[in-house]
Amino acid sequence: MAVKYRCRHCETEIGTLPFDADETIRKLHLFEVGEIDDYIEKDASGQTTVHCICESCEDSLRQFPDYYALKKWLQ
């Protein structure tokens, strides 16, 4: 099943890997212990989603660094 990349702030789909790369993704991204559950989600149907950040949200965070303190700053 494909791996989807989605912005964790605005929920925009950033891209999709057209193959199952679940283990490869875990090896490519460096995570602290317990942090992986915050960024990689696997639902009941087996769909893997990597929550990252899109360019628009990254630009907003650069302009307003106080937003980093908030888990969800877009309503």
Side-chain angles (χ1 to χ4, degrees):
M1 186 170 282
V3 176
K4 294 183 179 183
Y5 279 79
R6 183 174 297 275
C7 180
R8 63 187 178 142
H9 298 288
C10 68
E11 298 294 323
T12 300
E13 189 169 316
I14 297 169
T16 303
L17 295 176
F19 51 87
D20 187 7
D22 192 33
E23 283 305 311
T24 304
I25 294 211
R26 292 174 192 270
K27 291 176 185 173
L28 284 176
H29 300 289
L30 301 175
F31 294 106
E32 297 292 323
V33 174
E35 189 180 47
I36 200 161
D37 294 335
D38 294 336
Y39 294 98
I40 297 179
E41 173 188 346
K42 194 163 195 163
D43 66 13
S45 67
Q47 176 65 56
T48 301
T49 303
V50 178
H51 297 280
C52 48
I53 186 168
C54 69
E55 290 180 15
S56 296
C57 289
E58 184 177 23
D59 289 342
S60 294
L61 286 169
R62 256 194 227 115
Q63 288 181 320
F64 305 101
D66 293 342
Y67 288 172
Y68 277 107
L70 306 172
K71 181 149 183 127
K72 197 84 163 163
W73 48 271
L74 289 177
Q75 301 298 319

